[in-house]
Each structure stands twice: as C-alpha cells, then as structure tokens.
Amino acid sequence: MAGTGDVPRVLDRCRALVRPALEEAVGRLHPWVGEMAAYSFGWCEVGGAPAVASGGKGVRQALAVLGAEAAGAPGRAGVSAAVAVELVHTFSLLHDDIMDGDTDRRRRPTVWKAYGTGPAVLAGDALFALAVETLAAQPGGARGVRTLSVALGDLVRGQADDLLFADRPWTGPERVRPDEYRAMAEHKTGALLGCAAALGAVLGGAAPETAAALDRAGRHLGVAFQIVDDVLGIWGDPRVTGKPVHGDLRERKRTFPVLVALDSPMGGRIAALLESGEASGTAAALIEEAGGRAAAMAEARRHLAAVETSLAGAPLAPKAVTDLRSLLEYLVRRDV
C-alpha cells in the first residue's frame, strides 16, 4: 500500500481536476455573493483582490474523485460530485461559524465577520442551491441529489445535537454519553465524508452496494477524524494545530476524551474544573490519568478498522483504493 507521503500528490491531482469546474460554478453566482464564496474558498480578499491565503486541502473533493475511480470510472466522472460536496462543505462552514461565533478561519476573518451576518447567511444559502443545481444537471443526477439529501439531513441532525450538548450538565443522568457523541460525530463529520466518496461512485456508474460501502467507510472515517481532532484540541502542539493549548477545555466542549473521563471515579473533580473554566492544565492531566486520551485513541483505531472492513467488502479498483487508503490514513494519523 502507498504511504501517506503520496497524499500531497493525490490532493494536488484532484484539486487540479476540480478547480476549473468549481470556479465555473461559483462564477454563475451573483457577483457580490460570488465574491463572498471566492473569499470563503481562499481565492480572494474582501473586495475581490487575489488572495495569498490557503484555500484548504480539498479533502472532500479528493474523496469524490477517488470514489469515481474506485468504481472503475475516470476521475473526471467524479468532478461534479466533488464540486457539489465542496460547495455544501463550505456552506456548512459559513453557517457553523455564525452559530459558533467563530471570528477566524485559516488565520483570517470568517465570512460573517468580514461581510456581515446577513450576507454570510445569503452566501451559504447560495452555495447550497448551487450544489443541488450542479448535481441535478448531471446524468444520473436524481440519484446523486438523493445521496446528497440524506447526508445533508444527517449533517443538520449532528449539528443540532452538537449545539444542544453545550447546554447539558457535566454530571448526572442528563449528561452527554459517549454513544451520543459517536452518533453526533458520524452525522456532523462523517456524513459528508461518506457522501463525497459515495457521490463520486454514483456519478461514476457504481452499483448501489459499492456506493453504500464507500459511504460507510467515510462515516467511520468521520468519527475517527473527529476523535483525533478532540485529542489534538486538548494535547496537540499549537505550532502544528494552530489552536491554543487546552483550548477545547477552556471552551468547555463535550469531546470524547472528556466524556469518557467523566464516567471514571475522577469524574466529579474533572467536572468541577470544567465548570469553573479554570485550571485547564490540571483538568487535562486528570482526563489523561482517568484514561480519556487512551480510550479516545482506541476508539479512533476501532473506526479505522471499520473503514478497512467497509473497503474490503466492495468490488473496488485496486489503484484507486490504494490512494483512498493513503488519504484516509493521512487524515487521522496526525501528530497525536
């Protein structure tokens, strides 16, 4: 199997294939809305001047291209799927930033901070509509729209649960349980990753069973990715993650290591520290001592094994699966 060192090449190849079609789609928007979309992709600054900011890795669009190739079709068959998923992902980020009150993304102001809340909502809505239009125009588009609709429904469900988790107590019968977290992570993060790979396969003419296997793989990947992100949010190196040390604890996020640790005999002490919002370093040490970090990494590995099982059970093109496996491994084997 190819190693993760091949992933930059795979991402570059897929971005080069998708970028012209993505630019063409955004170019059909109202000019002002199109500028906000281009800003969100990292293509321009406020006012439209070309940007030097990174536009992101393009993981979801790569999954769509590789999904088509895994189904035995050429990568270009997955381009419309890649465009649709990238538009939906960006739409979700615009709205997430507003809901979470986040003022920065990729080291510059978020769209709502740069242009205003109302315009950012409008830009998100436009990207969503453009994604549906892009898919509907393709041969087999009806099946593609159905695939995307399921993922969108799950994404909204996961986002709703994530928002509601913040208002629940740290302890007692109403606290958030690890199994609730798994469901939230699958919906909020995994649904769109699974949809990306499955949608590429759908437009590549894959059988329903093949598309379903890729969707399952992406959903398990999403849970593993989210859990690793949780570990990095507490113990990651800020120079690598771009996040402040113990940032998730200071923000009192319900993350997997925390939820596991709260079920331990140390749960009461940890809950008191989290409720106070102080002594995040002490809380991080107690969570690790209670087994939260080890349990999180074991859970991530379990979902990675489920990814492999999903891929092994489907008739997929070997070369594309090699690239796909390299990409999936790269996403979760970060500096933890």
Side-chain angles (χ1 to χ4, degrees):
M1 176 171 44
T4 57
D6 294 314
V7 169
R9 172 188 58 79
V10 172
L11 291 173
D12 286 345
R13 176 174 69 83
C14 294
R15 278 196 303 266
L17 197 59
V18 174
R19 175 71 178 263
L22 187 58
E23 289 181 341
E24 188 277 330
V26 170
R28 299 199 302 270
L29 295 172
H30 181 285
W32 182 47
V33 175
E35 180 191 313
M36 288 186 280
Y39 177 88
S40 68
F41 286 120
W43 301 343
C44 75
E45 304 294 351
V46 176
V52 294
S54 167
K57 295 182 177 67
V59 167
R60 288 158 189 82
Q61 55 188 275
L63 286 173
V65 171
L66 294 176
E69 293 176 348
R76 63 179 178 274
V79 166
S80 293
V83 169
V85 169
E86 194 69 13
L87 292 170
V88 166
H89 174 56
T90 306
F91 141 73
S92 73
L93 294 181
L94 293 183
H95 286 194
D96 283 358
D97 287 341
I98 294 168
M99 287 186 284
D100 297 341
D102 290 338
T103 58
D104 293 284
R105 179 173 291 280
R106 300 190 186 119
R107 296 179 172 84
R108 63 180 190 158
T110 50
V111 175
W112 75 267
K113 192 68 177 176
Y115 289 88
T117 302
V121 171
L122 180 65
D125 292 345
L127 291 173
F128 170 73
L130 187 59
V132 175
E133 176 193 328
T134 298
L135 275 184
Q138 300 306 307
R143 184 180 164 202
V145 170
R146 287 194 298 272
T147 301
L148 183 64
S149 297
V150 170
L152 283 169
D154 283 347
L155 190 153
V156 170
R157 179 185 294 272
Q159 183 66 53
D161 284 339
D162 194 33
L163 288 173
L164 289 170
F165 285 175
D167 294 326
R168 290 170 60 178
W170 291 108
T171 59
E174 297 302 315
R175 71 184 186 277
V176 180
R177 306 284 184 165
D179 61 334
E180 294 179 278
Y181 173 98
R182 291 184 192 95
M184 179 278 295
E186 178 189 332
H187 292 144
K188 182 181 176 183
T189 305
L192 202 55
L193 291 173
C195 175
L199 204 53
V202 165
L203 296 192
E209 296 78 11
T210 299
L214 289 167
D215 181 71
R216 283 194 302 273
R219 285 171 179 265
H220 283 294
L221 169 68
V223 180
F225 179 88
Q226 190 62 59
I227 289 173
V228 169
D229 204 55
D230 290 348
V231 172
L232 291 172
I234 300 176
W235 296 285
D237 182 346
R239 292 170 298 180
V240 176
T241 65
K243 300 177 180 180
V245 66
H246 305 147
D248 282 0
L249 295 181
R250 282 193 293 275
E251 294 178 21
R252 298 191 284 184
K253 290 184 177 180
R254 272 64 172 173
T255 61
F256 194 85
V258 170
L259 299 180
V260 170
L262 288 172
D263 278 338
S264 76
M266 301 179 189
R269 291 173 62 195
I270 294 169
L273 288 170
L274 294 172
E275 189 62 42
S276 72
E278 300 174 356
S280 58
T282 303
L286 286 176
I287 291 165
E288 185 161 12
E289 185 180 347
R293 182 174 185 170
M297 294 312 299
E299 182 73 10
R301 286 191 291 270
R302 187 176 74 80
H303 284 280
L304 278 180
V307 169
E308 285 295 327
T309 300
S310 298
L311 294 177
L316 302 172
K319 172 61 172 70
V321 171
T322 296
D323 286 344
L324 194 57
R325 282 193 170 111
S326 296
L327 177 58
L328 301 185
E329 183 179 357
Y330 168 81
L331 289 176
V332 292
R333 300 201 187 284
R334 292 173 282 168
D335 187 10
V336 295

